[in-house]
Amino acid sequence: FFFGPLCGLSAMTSAFNDERVHGGILQDGTEYEIIRGSLRPDGTRRPDVKVRKGYVAQDEMKPLETKGSRYRERQEAVKDWVPGMSQAMHQNQKDLKQKQKDDKQSQRASGRLSDQRAVDEKKEQQKEEQRRKQKEAEEKKKEAKRGANKQAQDEAAAAKAAAQAEREAAEQAASAAKKAEKAARAAEQQAAEAYAASPEGLTKKKDKLSGILSEIAELEKARDNGQELTDSD
């Protein structure tokens, strides 16, 4: 047997307090009662529950009474009471004040709901505005990034074109220098040939040949005389 608070027992005893029946007496002399099970919505019956005789569920227990709580109850009972007022008039006045209090609470609740709805709508508008601004900032950032990339590409293309133009200019200058050097050599050779073909050139060549022939003759004469010739000779 299970006695005292059980799982779900408080609700059952609260709902079916009048359906208790005497259950019997245990071996230790404890009397118990049986709370009849109720019908479920599907037609089945809940099981009976055995409890100790006189058991009261926790939610059915009266709150602890103190001197202060009893004083407050007495003050609440005579609140708004005027000497000479009948009990019915006093009760009507209490009911009227309670009704006014309930109306005010309902008005406050509806006002709070309206205010909360307005606050929620304002928050949603702020979130929407924040999302819009964030989207605009992202678009601006992307646009700036695309502009920076385009500018970098343009600068790279300009630098490449400048380098290409510089290389072409250097190649053209080198080609022109080679052509000028070749033309200078050709002109120098032509000048030398023209000088050699001129009377002055021929005279100079003749004098040179005469000098060479005289040296050869001296060498032969020295050889015939028995002189030893050296490399310097």
Side-chain angles (χ1 to χ4, degrees):
F1 297 103
F2 297 95
F3 298 100
L6 298 175
C7 181
L9 184 59
S10 177
M12 293 184 65
T13 55
S14 177
F16 304 103
N17 193 25
D18 295 336
E19 297 187 12
R20 295 191 181 197
V21 295
H22 180 70
I25 301 176
L26 299 178
Q27 294 180 356
D28 58 356
T30 304
E31 296 185 13
Y32 66 92
E33 296 175 337
I34 298 176
I35 300 176
R36 298 296 184 184
S38 60
L39 288 175
R40 296 190 180 94
D42 58 358
T44 59
R45 179 174 291 278
R46 296 183 177 85
D48 297 340
V49 179
K50 296 179 181 180
V51 295
R52 184 182 292 106
K53 185 177 180 181
Y55 170 76
V56 179
Q58 187 173 1
D59 58 351
E60 292 183 350
M61 292 182 180
K62 293 183 179 180
L64 180 64
E65 291 186 358
T66 62
K67 185 176 180 181
S69 63
R70 289 193 294 270
Y71 175 78
R72 285 192 296 272
E73 287 180 359
R74 290 195 299 270
Q75 291 296 321
E76 186 66 26
V78 297
K79 186 178 180 180
D80 300 327
W81 181 79
V82 179
M85 180 182 292
S86 63
Q87 185 67 24
M89 291 177 65
H90 184 213
Q91 187 63 36
N92 292 337
Q93 188 173 0
K94 289 177 64 175
D95 294 341
L96 179 61
K97 287 188 173 295
Q98 184 65 32
K99 185 177 183 303
Q100 292 175 352
K101 184 178 178 180
D102 295 340
D103 292 342
K104 287 182 179 179
Q105 289 180 353
S106 62
Q107 289 176 2
R108 291 196 198 98
S110 62
R112 282 196 299 269
L113 291 175
S114 301
D115 295 342
Q116 185 65 30
R117 190 178 298 108
V119 170
D120 294 340
E121 291 178 356
K122 186 175 181 180
K123 287 183 179 180
E124 187 64 28
Q125 291 176 359
Q126 291 176 352
K127 289 181 180 179
E128 186 66 26
E129 183 68 17
Q130 186 176 2
R131 285 193 292 267
R132 185 183 64 80
K133 289 182 179 180
Q134 186 176 2
K135 187 176 181 181
E136 290 179 356
E138 290 177 356
E139 290 295 333
K140 289 181 180 179
K141 188 176 180 181
K142 289 180 181 178
E143 187 66 25
K145 188 175 181 181
R146 284 195 293 266
N149 292 337
K150 189 175 184 304
Q151 184 178 0
Q153 291 176 358
D154 294 342
E155 290 177 356
K160 187 176 180 181
Q164 183 67 22
E166 187 177 355
R167 282 197 299 270
E168 292 177 356
E171 291 175 358
Q172 290 177 0
S175 178
K178 287 182 180 179
K179 289 180 181 180
E181 184 180 0
K182 188 176 180 181
R185 288 179 182 177
E188 185 179 356
Q189 187 177 0
Q190 289 177 0
E193 290 177 356
Y195 178 77
S198 64
E200 185 180 357
L202 292 174
T203 303
K204 188 174 181 182
K205 186 181 291 187
K206 183 179 178 180
D207 294 341
K208 186 176 181 181
L209 290 174
S210 297
I212 293 172
L213 289 174
S214 62
E215 289 179 0
I216 292 172
E218 290 178 359
L219 291 172
E220 288 179 352
K221 185 178 179 180
R223 185 189 64 184
D224 293 340
N225 293 332
Q227 291 181 359
E228 185 177 358
L229 301 176
T230 61
D231 293 338
S232 62
D233 296 337

